[in-house]
Amino acid sequence: MLVESPPEASTAVSSVPPGRGAARFLGLLAALAVLVVMVLASVAVGAHPTPLDEVWHGLFHYSGTPADVVVRDTRVPRTVLGLLVGSALGLSGAVMQSLTRNPLAEPGILGVNAGAAAAVVSAISFLGATSLSEFVWYALGGAAIVSGAVYVLGGARGATPVRLALAGTAASAALVGYINAVQLLDAAALDKLRFWTVGSLASANMETVWQVLPFLGVGLVLALSLGRPLNAMAMGEDTARALGAHITRTRISAMVAITLLCGAATAACGPIVFIGLMVPHLVLAITGPDMRWLLAYSAVLSPVLLLGADIVGRVITRPAELQVGIVTALVGGPVFIHLVRRRKLAQL
């Protein structure tokens, strides 16, 4: 799965200008501050704006008023789920890009999210699955199967970024067609999944959060722990082994992390695309190629983007709502086209 990275990658990782570490740390603190602001905005902003005093009352002095119910029972679970799913998608995208040496890698583009979604739709229509606790396992299986299939179709060890992207796009198109066909033939599935299949946080509740939290928690910790070995692998397999990195173990750990993060996130709120593509590229300009910092920044800034898209979707069509998956697709599509058209990517 690893394609040799250019020699300059190892130099960029190993040579850090004086003061760069302090600047990265301060930048991470600033990113955390932005995330806090976005979380507060997500709780306060919606079809009906809620003043901050009512937000405070709903959070800490709950008395069952309509405003309290909106804040605690609707917006807080939605915000918490957006926080977890955003971090999951951003980290999985960053790990995929590093592991495959493919700057176009992203759970949506490589078909991982579509595989998880197809498995869930099949489970609902053909196996009678009804609860999120069932959806998660099917989503994990679908994500793992499609990840392996795209890797093989893309050329396995001879895969190039463009071949992987094309294989993932083809797999996604086929799976989306399958999902739509199943829903059209099954009215119950269509009614249950018409918002879920485009990616939505609208139906979030705390039960959903608690059910996917173990999977997302393990995946997040595992992904964040891969910074050093992924840095070593960027220098080439021989150098990585000389530095004590376990190549096979790192690849397996990365695939487990990607499967857990993408599968659980998709089971909870449907396939949301381009978060894992946009954020790592933005972060790369800030942190450089050091995966330890890139993963940390991606975990913080990805939920900023997802929550921001969710807020825009709630506000732009008031009193109706534009699903967050549609907003991220509208923003991410042009970004993907820009990355493909860049001269460096065209030569891959």
Side-chain angles (χ1 to χ4, degrees):
M1 188 173 294
L2 179 67
V3 178
E4 292 293 333
S5 58
E8 60 268 19
S10 60
T11 305
V13 172
S14 59
S15 58
V16 179
R20 184 72 180 271
R24 287 168 171 169
F25 180 73
L26 292 176
L28 187 58
L29 290 180
L32 286 168
V34 173
L35 179 59
V36 170
V37 172
M38 194 61 67
V39 166
L40 293 175
S42 179
V43 175
V45 177
H48 303 286
T50 306
L52 289 179
D53 59 331
E54 292 186 10
V55 171
W56 181 268
H57 187 277
L59 291 175
F60 301 107
H61 304 285
Y62 185 88
S63 61
T65 65
D68 289 350
V69 171
V70 168
V71 169
R72 182 175 290 190
D73 298 338
T74 301
R75 292 184 184 170
V76 168
R78 183 173 187 153
T79 301
V80 173
L81 186 62
L83 186 65
L84 291 171
V85 168
S87 292
L89 295 176
L91 277 175
S92 60
V95 171
M96 290 175 77
Q97 289 171 21
S98 177
L99 187 68
T100 62
R101 313 311 306 160
N102 180 0
L104 300 179
E106 192 265 344
I109 294 172
L110 295 192
V112 181
N113 286 349
V120 172
V121 170
S122 299
I124 292 172
S125 294
F126 305 127
L127 301 177
T130 57
S131 66
L132 180 61
S133 59
E134 296 176 283
F135 296 168
V136 170
W137 296 106
Y138 290 109
L140 293 175
I145 291 171
V146 174
S147 296
V150 168
Y151 175 58
V152 172
L153 290 173
R157 288 186 174 273
T160 64
V162 172
R163 288 179 67 181
L164 281 172
L166 290 174
T169 301
S172 293
L175 290 169
V176 168
Y178 166 77
I179 291 168
N180 290 334
V182 170
Q183 289 185 99
L184 289 174
L185 295 173
D186 188 339
L190 176 61
D191 183 64
K192 187 178 297 184
L193 297 173
R194 64 182 185 274
F195 293 125
W196 182 87
T197 52
V198 297
S200 175
L201 297 173
S203 60
N205 55 55
M206 288 310 298
E207 182 180 358
T208 301
V209 172
W210 289 117
Q211 286 181 329
V212 299
L213 183 59
F215 302 97
L216 292 178
V218 173
L220 289 169
V221 172
L222 187 57
L224 289 170
S225 70
L226 293 173
R228 286 184 181 276
L230 287 176
N231 276 345
M233 290 176 67
M235 302 178 189
E237 291 192 16
D238 293 337
T239 303
R241 290 192 180 95
L243 293 173
H246 299 275
I247 304 298
T248 301
R249 187 170 68 187
T250 300
R251 286 175 175 156
I252 293 174
S253 298
M255 290 307 301
V256 170
I258 291 167
T259 300
L260 286 172
L261 294 172
C262 295
T266 303
C269 55
I272 298 176
V273 297
F274 292 126
I275 296 290
L277 175 72
M278 292 185 285
V279 175
H281 279 279
L282 171 65
V283 168
L284 185 63
I286 302 172
T287 66
D290 190 334
M291 288 300 298
R292 295 169 299 177
W293 288 100
L294 195 148
L295 291 172
Y297 269 80
S298 295
V300 174
L301 290 178
S302 295
V304 170
L305 178 59
L306 183 61
L307 291 175
D310 188 43
I311 292 170
V312 170
R314 284 186 255 171
V315 171
I316 197 170
T317 58
R318 283 177 177 169
E321 180 175 320
L322 191 63
Q323 305 305 315
V324 65
I326 297 175
V327 179
T328 60
L330 291 174
V331 175
V335 174
F336 177 63
I337 293 171
H338 167 71
L339 291 174
V340 171
R341 288 177 61 86
R342 282 173 54 187
R343 181 177 300 177
K344 290 182 179 180
L345 296 185
Q347 297 172 349
L348 291 175

